[in-house]
Amino acid sequence: MQFVDEVVCANTGKHLNDLQRKIIEGILKQQKYSDIADTYGCTAGHAKDIGYKLLQMLSDVFDEPVDKRNLKSMLERQLNLNINFGDRNNNTHFGHSHTINYINGCSELPTPTPTKSQPPTPDYQDGTNQVKIEMAGKLRQLGLKDEQIAEVLGLAGEVVKQID
């Protein structure tokens, strides 16, 4: 859900609202619009109208036709890298397994405009690197070193070191 919200926001400037989230969750659970409406507390007609508009928006955002039947497979295709961090024997480190999904949902992400209180972000070739830059912070929180982050995300080590 976070992935869809981030890609939609990057393309439209707006986050998913609660009903849109419930519709996506319901579709993925193969629920009917009437069941989704009952869960959310609206009419089935309203849920269906919002669902239709949502699927059209997702079609535009992901640049491929999206409907109730193919939403799950489309999202699976968009989640193009699943990285498991642990030891080589698939045992977990300290009893924890960290799975990170790096998502490259679109080729054109907007570049943030720096404010006076925020230093300008260096230009890193294209918008797809912006997603990698954002992931670098998350990977650091999991304890990865800059060299590991650079390798996983395919960025130069110098670029990773510059990222706050």
Side-chain angles (χ1 to χ4, degrees):
M1 194 56 65
Q2 181 180 352
F3 160 61
V4 176
D5 185 56
E6 288 176 3
V7 175
V8 166
C9 185
N11 282 272
T12 67
K14 295 180 180 179
H15 289 280
L16 295 171
N17 64 35
D18 290 345
L19 179 55
Q20 290 170 323
R21 287 173 172 271
K22 292 287 185 198
I23 289 170
I24 291 171
E25 290 169 3
I27 291 172
L28 294 176
K29 293 177 184 174
Q30 299 180 335
Q31 292 179 326
K32 296 180 180 185
Y33 282 118
S34 58
D35 297 328
I36 296 168
D38 289 342
T39 302
Y40 185 74
C42 66
T43 66
H46 181 66
K48 189 173 185 176
D49 290 344
I50 298 300
Y52 175 80
K53 291 176 187 174
L54 174 62
L55 293 172
Q56 291 302 308
M57 178 179 60
L58 294 176
S59 296
D60 294 340
V61 165
F62 291 107
D63 198 30
E64 68 175 279
V66 180
D67 58 31
K68 283 180 76 171
R69 294 181 308 277
N70 73 353
L71 176 64
K72 183 177 181 179
S73 60
M74 182 278 301
L75 290 175
E76 287 171 349
R77 278 192 304 281
Q78 296 295 328
L79 297 168
N80 63 8
L81 180 59
N82 186 10
I83 305 166
N84 240 336
F85 291 99
D87 71 18
R88 301 223 181 244
N89 298 323
N90 285 335
N91 293 330
T92 57
H93 184 64
F94 298 113
H96 296 96
S97 174
H98 298 289
T99 301
I100 290 116
N101 290 318
Y102 167 68
I103 298 130
N104 183 1
C106 56
S107 60
E108 298 180 52
L109 292 176
T111 304
T113 305
T115 63
K116 290 180 182 178
S117 64
Q118 176 184 26
T121 303
D123 182 16
Y124 295 115
Q125 298 174 353
D126 62 36
T128 57
N129 279 339
Q130 184 62 35
V131 173
K132 293 179 182 181
I133 292 164
E134 291 170 7
M135 286 300 296
K138 293 178 183 177
L139 293 171
R140 270 199 189 112
Q141 290 175 350
L142 291 172
L144 270 69
K145 297 177 183 172
D146 286 348
E147 296 79 21
Q148 293 169 314
I149 294 169
E151 183 179 336
V152 168
L153 298 179
L155 293 172
E158 302 81 43
V159 171
V160 173
K161 288 179 176 147
Q162 292 176 3
I163 300 170
D164 290 331

